[in-house]
Amino acid sequence: MPQAVVCLPTYNERENLEPMLRALADKGVQVLVIDDNSPDGTGDLADRLAAELGYVDVLHRERKEGLGPAYLAGFQRALAKGAELVLEMDCDFSHDPADVPRLIAAIEAGADVALGSRYVAGGAVRNWGLLRRFVSAGGSFYARVLLGLKVRDLTGGFKCYRRRVLETIDLYASESRGYAFQIETTYRALRAGFRVVEIPITFADREAGGSKMSKTIVAEAIWKVPGLRLAALFGRL
């Protein structure tokens, strides 16, 4: 089985971290915890668990800069350590650890990027209010129309990449910090000719800890999408 590394960004996820790491124990993956100096002690807990669990590594960052920079740092570490498959997922159990092997299987079946999707047949969202559903589904629709793509869950953050995808697309030119990062990575992969496959998942709202969603994150996605389209039209993407 190719070496697979799950990049797990954390900021104040102390309640969720240990259950998540133990839930990933039998999934055939290494886990890289990327902690942005969480004031609740998530980073210290990650170090203690890494000393106990041989499949866990920790990357400490000095401050909270957003989802995009955390993932970029994680990708760089994972690739440097020889990962052939690199996964993204949330630490709050909104992404089910049981679905990790399904994403890996999609890559082994020929995909270059496997995307856990809420908005294809068989996908679902659980425990969300109407406003959150509207923002998420509307954001994906908005990005899909402006970018001219068929992928239905462009804001989804549960993904598995082949190594060559991350080595080929110029991710380090990205300045996206929030969920716009998810739109941008998928768009760049498709523009580079890679095959993106959507795998239906059930997305469940977190039960412990606080959501990181904010108006700033939504606003970034709104203005970033037309910027990506223009960059592609002028050959800068």
Side-chain angles (χ1 to χ4, degrees):
M1 187 174 184
Q3 182 185 351
V5 175
V6 173
C7 291
L8 197 69
T10 57
Y11 186 77
N12 289 349
E13 292 290 356
R14 186 179 179 85
E15 295 172 273
N16 292 309
L17 181 62
E18 183 169 359
M20 173 58 75
L21 292 180
R22 296 194 184 279
L24 289 168
D26 61 348
K27 302 301 184 289
V29 296
Q30 300 290 306
V31 184
L32 175 61
V33 179
I34 308 149
D35 188 67
D36 280 2
N37 199 18
S38 297
D40 73 344
T42 300
D44 292 335
L45 175 60
D47 286 336
R48 292 198 296 273
L49 290 168
E52 174 190 347
L53 306 172
Y55 57 91
V56 176
D57 191 12
V58 185
L59 173 61
H60 293 281
R61 288 161 41 82
E62 292 183 359
R63 60 188 180 276
K64 186 174 185 286
E65 294 180 305
L67 191 70
Y71 270 130
L72 290 178
F75 293 167
Q76 189 173 28
R77 169 73 71 88
L79 294 176
K81 286 183 171 288
E84 292 298 326
L85 305 179
V86 180
L87 293 93
E88 304 177 4
M89 69 182 297
D90 294 343
C91 187
D92 60 7
F93 285 91
S94 55
H95 300 143
D96 188 345
D99 288 327
V100 166
R102 297 176 60 228
L103 297 189
I104 293 174
I107 299 293
E108 292 175 334
D112 297 305
V113 181
L115 168 60
S117 179
R118 299 159 287 187
Y119 304 127
V120 293
V125 173
R126 192 172 70 237
N127 301 333
W128 265 8
L130 287 176
L131 179 60
R132 186 73 184 273
R133 288 174 184 265
F134 173 78
V135 170
S136 175
S140 285
F141 178 77
Y142 168 78
R144 187 165 73 248
V145 171
L146 263 67
L147 298 177
L149 303 179
K150 294 182 180 180
V151 174
R152 299 192 61 82
D153 197 350
L154 282 168
T155 59
F158 193 15
K159 297 178 180 177
C160 182
Y161 302 91
R162 287 188 190 273
R163 179 187 184 92
R164 69 170 179 262
V165 176
L166 298 180
E167 290 178 331
T168 300
I169 61 180
D170 189 11
L171 281 178
Y172 301 99
S174 172
E175 296 180 353
S176 299
R177 294 183 175 273
Y179 289 100
F181 178 79
Q182 306 299 1
I183 300 171
E184 183 171 353
T185 51
T186 299
Y187 188 47
R188 286 179 179 271
L190 289 166
R191 290 276 305 171
F194 291 109
R195 182 180 175 221
V196 177
V197 172
E198 292 186 89
I199 306 300
I201 62 164
T202 296
F203 182 99
D205 198 12
R206 67 163 61 234
E207 295 184 2
S211 173
K212 310 303 188 297
M213 179 62 73
S214 69
K215 292 179 181 179
T216 301
I217 289 173
V218 174
E220 181 195 42
I222 290 172
W223 68 259
K224 187 71 176 181
V225 169
L228 288 172
R229 182 63 172 171
L230 287 172
L233 288 174
F234 288 99
R236 298 198 300 269
L237 189 66

